[in-house]
Amino acid sequence: MAVEVRMPTILRKYTSGAKAVEGSGSTVREVIEDLDQRHPGVRGAVVTDGGELHRFINMYLNDEDIRFLGSLETPVSDGDVISILPAVAGG
Amino acid sequence: MRADDILGAIGNTPLVGLPTFGPGSDVKILAKLEGHNPTGSMKDRIALRMIQEAEASGALTPNKIVLEPTSGNTGISLSMICRRKGYRLVCVMPDNVSTERIQLLEMFGTEIVHSPAARGSNGAVALAKEMAADTKYFMPYQYGNEANPRAHYDGTAAEIVRDCPEVDVFVAGLGTGGTLMGCGRRIREHNPNAQIVAAEPEYGELVYGLRNLDEGFIPEIIDMTVMTRRIKVGTEDALRRTRQLVEQEGIFAGISSGAALHVAVRVAEKLSKGTIVVLLPDGGWKYLSTGAYGGDFAAAVKRLEGMLWA
């Protein structure tokens, strides 16, 4: 499955400045693993050593927060878009 | 409605149908108009509750200065309440908030400490926490104060289940999380199958800046298990819905209201039957200088992109 992954400014140092990169896999975790092959450092920035999504990272699959879907095991389909955003205070 | 003073006029806001947004007669969307509070936002509710609880516990005494990190509405509400009650107030906010907000604070006599825009609202929180080490300050701290969700549990949500006992879905923006926590808990007690949906603002890139991910921030009062879904909304969708609210319903609301409505409409499209209550946190007055409500749409989106519009 080919998936577009949109990177926040802070993570573009791993993607040679690219705002969006392509990854493949059948789950969000597999896409991140795949990205890390070509853009080393991406996985470490968004996934903890314990294999969980980093606390201060929000990841969205087509606008839906993956924490309320299946977290990193959420299945992805061809043409999906994953967006990575840092947690920001509001109010 | 008669009240002893302005603080007695907080809450009891209207819940109105949005007939042009319901996809069919079996799916209804109702909007809770929080812009009807005295300073024009739902933050009046939480600011009052935080001050009242602190007075009752003795944490806030007349010799203390109230200090709060806020990107706007909470500061305006605290300003009004502190003016009424006679407290000095200092607000810490990023440089890039709208000019009306600053004018409103100054009008009430509030002192403003600016934190660098590049570090966003997280920077304002960090700076206020440093300042609060000085015991002359009392910091209500909306992000970690349970009086914030309690104001919604006892107020906003009680009004919603009273006025709309058939509520199936509740949608609100996610900022401190106070609205979603307080309303979510009460509405799920009332209807255990209710969906509690968060609308998360997705700002322009400038707002997220280059800050270190380890400096990230999640308000202490947020319990993720209260929510059932979270959907992000970009500036363009938020502004489009904000303009539609005026054009289709005659409702003049702020940009985060458009974001919440966008999520409500998306949820509605997938429902065959049900009632959705969406909370519109403020009126549009404070956003007029951004040109959000008229003129070229794309240009307005571009201007808003760099701001904290929620």
Side-chain angles (χ1 to χ4, degrees), chain B residues 39-120:
Chain B
T39 75
S41 90
M42 58 91 172
K43 294 294 189 180
D44 285 353
R45 296 175 184 270
I46 72 147
L48 179 63
R49 184 66 175 253
M50 291 192 298
I51 294 293
Q52 284 175 335
E53 288 194 13
E55 287 174 332
S57 73
L60 175 57
T61 45
N63 59 327
K64 294 237 178 189
I65 302 168
V66 179
L67 169 73
E68 185 72 3
T70 164
S71 56
N73 281 334
T74 304
I76 294 163
S77 298
L78 280 170
S79 293
M80 180 270 284
I81 292 161
C82 287
R83 167 60 35 144
R84 172 69 193 85
K85 286 177 170 279
Y87 295 109
R88 253 181 86 190
L89 171 66
V90 175
C91 285
V92 184
M93 57 169 66
D95 286 334
N96 55 345
V97 302
S98 74
T99 53
E100 286 96 334
R101 293 183 181 224
I102 289 161
Q103 284 175 31
L104 279 161
L105 294 196
E106 288 174 343
M107 174 187 84
F108 282 116
T110 299
E111 297 151 57
I112 297 168
V113 172
H114 286 288
S115 59
R119 295 197 53 220

Side-chain angles (χ1 to χ4, degrees), chain B residues 15-30:
Chain B
L15 183 68
V16 303
L18 303 181
T20 71
F21 285 100
S25 57
D26 289 334
V27 180
K28 287 194 169 59
I29 302 178
L30 293 100

Side-chain angles (χ1 to χ4, degrees), chain B residues 234-291:
Chain B
T235 308
E236 188 173 338
D237 285 328
L239 183 61
R240 188 164 45 87
R241 297 299 188 185
T242 305
R243 287 191 175 189
Q244 285 176 352
L245 266 174
V246 179
E247 289 155 14
Q248 296 176 210
E249 300 284 353
I251 293 173
F252 178 46
I255 318 298
S256 60
S257 295
L261 175 63
H262 183 68
V263 168
V265 171
R266 276 191 43 176
V267 172
E269 285 165 354
K270 295 278 167 80
L271 280 186
S272 55
K273 193 171 176 293
T275 302
I276 299 169
V277 171
V278 56
L279 185 134
L280 309 186
D282 63 6
W285 301 101
K286 293 181 297 287
Y287 310 91
L288 279 172
S289 72
T290 65

Side-chain angles (χ1 to χ4, degrees), chain B residues 131-161:
Chain B
M131 291 171 65
D134 188 329
T135 55
K136 70 181 178 187
Y137 291 117
F138 163 71
M139 181 163 72
Y141 192 57
Q142 58 174 341
Y143 301 99
N145 189 335
E146 288 295 330
N148 171 357
R150 266 197 291 275
H152 291 294
Y153 183 94
D154 291 333
T156 325
E159 295 163 23
I160 289 170
V161 298

Side-chain angles (χ1 to χ4, degrees), chain A residues 28-59:
Chain A
V28 174
R29 188 189 297 279
E30 286 181 20
V31 172
I32 299 299
E33 297 284 344
D34 173 63
L35 277 188
D36 199 65
Q37 305 277 312
R38 273 161 292 121
H39 307 287
V42 168
R43 180 184 51 202
V46 301
V47 179
T48 64
D49 294 341
E52 300 289 311
L53 187 58
H54 193 300
R55 195 170 130 72
F56 296 137
I57 288 283
N58 293 323
M59 217 182 278

Side-chain angles (χ1 to χ4, degrees), chain A residues 6-14 19 42 44-46 54-69 81-91, chain B residues 43 69-74 121-122 125 142-143 175-176 200-203 205 207-218 224 227-232 266 308 310:
Chain A
R6 296 189 183 156
M7 310 296 290
T9 317
I10 187 79
L11 296 185
R12 289 182 202 156
K13 59 189 174 199
Y14 303 116
K19 284 186 179 190
V42 168
V46 301
H54 193 300
R55 195 170 130 72
F56 296 137
I57 288 283
N58 293 323
M59 217 182 278
Y60 296 85
L61 179 66
N62 305 327
D63 302 345
E64 295 263 355
D65 185 338
I66 65 165
R67 284 196 175 89
F68 298 93
L69 302 172
V81 176
I82 294 172
S83 307
I84 302 173
L85 290 178
V88 162
Chain B
K43 294 294 189 180
T70 164
S71 56
N73 281 334
T74 304
S121 48
N122 296 12
V125 171
Q142 58 174 341
Y143 301 99
T176 65
E200 168 92 6
E202 180 179 13
Y203 300 112
E205 289 184 354
V207 172
Y208 295 100
L210 286 165
R211 76 184 71 130
N212 194 321
L213 288 178
D214 296 327
E215 291 174 29
F217 180 72
I218 298 165
M224 298 286 276
M227 297 180 266
T228 55
R229 237 176 130 180
R230 173 153 78 167
I231 298 172
K232 73 175 168 69
R266 276 191 43 176
L308 283 164

